[in-house]
Amino acid sequence: MTAQMAKDRAHDGFEFNAYARAGLLVNNHGKGGRGGPSVSPASSLNGDAHAGRLGNEKDNYIELSLGKRVTFDDGSWTHFKTMIADGANSPDPWVQDNNSHHINVRQIYVEMGDFNDFTGPTKNAIIWAGKRFDSRNFDIHFTDSNIVFLGGAGGGISGVKWTPAFQGDYNVYGRNFGDLGGDHYNDNDIQDLMFTANHYYNNWQLMLTGLTAQGNDKLKDTTSTTGSYALRSDNSATHGYFSMLAYHDKQQFYGLAPGVSETALQYGRGLGAEARQIGSDGDLTDKAMSVRFASYGILPFAKNWQLAPLRHRPTQRRPLSEWRSLRLGNL
């Protein structure tokens, strides 16, 4: 056994990770309080006025992540991962109403790497298949706001190194738009296929995604006045694209001091105009367009203290919220 193989096998075995939260909010009248990361003193319009999290969330939520890694005699390895989640709003010890909570398998996929047949740029690449969140998603965690979230069932290859400083990930995801109004329309049969390429050069990221959802333009009801179908029209999008240029600096606060800073500029058309959760909105028209800018930083300024300013500015063909935030945290 080589030293490298012995090192790889040291990581083999069963994995277990978990996240859970349970909140109790009571207002000044002694009744159940209203809360959540989308509630702020200013507004909760569009569910996008994020003020914070992990202190004002009243739901009960749990994630259980299980994994198993195996290294083979030729040095290649496989890694199976799954995530099971459940959420409920009721604080009761036993919640029997299935309408108030649902167990989901949010992720279930396998990764494989270090194949002897892989050479050149793919020598250290990893292939995967299953249902997962994209490994390149990133967010402003303390406000629970995604800068970009991509996920679904599919497959791809990551870590293709074209040069020591330049690498790419290439994936295909499939998802649907869910039940947007009734079983009559069979929204779950509409597959939104997303082909995405992520390229990295040092701290820079360029993300390009093409989307297609054949048949989405037929999901319309001219007699509907309520619900999602009231938004549908003859020119509902069947295609779209999304692009993002981002800069990630895990060492510096905007180049001024030690810390962290991340900035992204996004542009989307058609089905790609939903810039935060790509491919999740089937109500977009073929002329839908969005431009979105997001930036945040974390600046340590004293022992156990951090300052975290952020700015978020979306622009679409209809008015949306703009918000800024300044977070002061004690570690």
Side-chain angles (χ1 to χ4, degrees):
M1 180 183 298
T2 65
Q4 181 61 43
M5 189 181 300
K7 182 179 179 181
D8 290 342
R9 283 190 166 168
H11 297 288
D12 286 0
F14 176 76
E15 302 169 357
F16 173 75
N17 296 284
Y19 163 82
R21 66 172 181 260
L24 174 65
L25 294 183
V26 180
N27 62 22
N28 59 344
H29 300 291
K31 299 180 179 180
R34 179 170 174 261
S38 299
V39 176
S40 77
S43 168
S44 60
L45 295 177
N46 299 321
D48 203 20
H50 286 61
R53 63 178 311 197
L54 303 181
N56 61 349
E57 294 172 298
K58 68 175 183 177
D59 63 329
N60 303 287
Y61 179 76
I62 185 171
E63 291 177 351
L64 302 177
S65 298
L66 308 174
K68 172 68 175 178
R69 178 184 166 114
V70 177
T71 300
F72 301 102
D73 291 340
D74 64 354
S76 63
W77 54 266
T78 181
H79 195 181
F80 172 80
K81 297 182 180 181
T82 186
M83 176 192 287
I84 302 170
D86 182 36
N89 288 318
S90 173
D92 295 340
W94 177 256
V95 182
Q96 188 171 347
D97 182 8
N98 289 327
N99 291 324
S100 66
H101 75 110
H102 304 276
I103 294 179
N104 281 274
V105 179
R106 299 195 69 189
Q107 299 192 80
I108 181 168
Y109 65 97
V110 64
E111 295 177 318
M112 295 172 283
D114 286 342
F115 292 107
N116 291 331
D117 293 337
F118 280 13
T119 60
T122 63
K123 180 176 177 59
N124 297 311
I126 297 172
I127 61 174
W128 71 273
K131 175 184 174 181
R132 71 176 298 176
F133 308 152
D134 191 84
S135 61
R136 302 298 188 174
N137 292 340
F138 67 105
D139 64 358
I140 306 172
H141 195 65
F142 52 82
T143 61
D144 196 25
S145 179
N146 294 306
I147 293 180
V148 63
F149 180 87
L150 178 65
I157 183 170
S158 61
V160 179
K161 287 194 173 184
W162 301 106
T163 72
F166 180 66
Q167 67 175 6
D169 300 348
Y170 309 95
N171 303 303
V172 57
Y173 290 96
R175 60 171 297 166
N176 56 53
F177 301 125
D179 183 4
L180 295 179
D183 295 336
H184 174 72
Y185 296 96
N186 295 320
D187 296 67
N188 288 314
D189 293 336
I190 301 299
Q191 291 299 312
D192 184 11
L193 298 178
M194 298 170 285
F195 303 88
T196 184
N198 258 310
H199 290 102
Y200 289 83
Y201 183 77
N202 294 326
N203 292 340
W204 290 94
Q205 175 189 2
L206 177 63
M207 180 180 183
L208 302 172
T209 301
L211 304 91
T212 177
Q214 296 301 318
N216 189 51
D217 56 336
K218 298 178 182 178
L219 295 180
K220 56 183 179 295
D221 179 10
T222 56
T223 64
S224 176
T225 58
T226 62
S228 295
Y229 281 96
L231 304 175
R232 291 298 178 99
S233 61
D234 291 339
N235 61 341
S236 296
T238 58
H239 297 84
Y241 58 86
F242 168 85
S243 60
M244 178 181 72
L245 180 65
Y247 187 81
H248 310 271
D249 193 337
K250 301 297 185 179
Q251 305 297 324
Q252 291 285 312
F253 177 78
Y254 298 105
L256 301 174
V260 173
S261 56
E262 293 188 286
T263 300
L265 179 63
Q266 302 167 327
Y267 176 78
R269 289 294 299 263
L271 290 174
E274 168 47 56
R276 184 162 61 179
Q277 299 188 48
I278 306 171
S280 64
D281 191 347
D283 287 326
L284 294 164
T285 68
D286 55 9
K287 291 183 172 59
M289 180 273 291
S290 69
V291 177
R292 182 168 177 254
F293 174 82
S295 183
Y296 81 98
I298 300 175
L299 175 66
F301 69 94
K303 184 179 180 180
N304 297 331
W305 285 92
Q306 295 178 336
L307 192 67
L310 66 92
R311 181 183 176 94
H312 170 272
R313 170 78 180 182
T315 302
Q316 292 186 322
R317 291 187 181 273
R318 61 179 184 272
L320 284 180
S321 63
E322 175 185 359
W323 49 269
R324 306 174 184 86
S325 174
L326 183 64
R327 173 180 178 265
L328 183 66
N330 177 256
L331 302 180

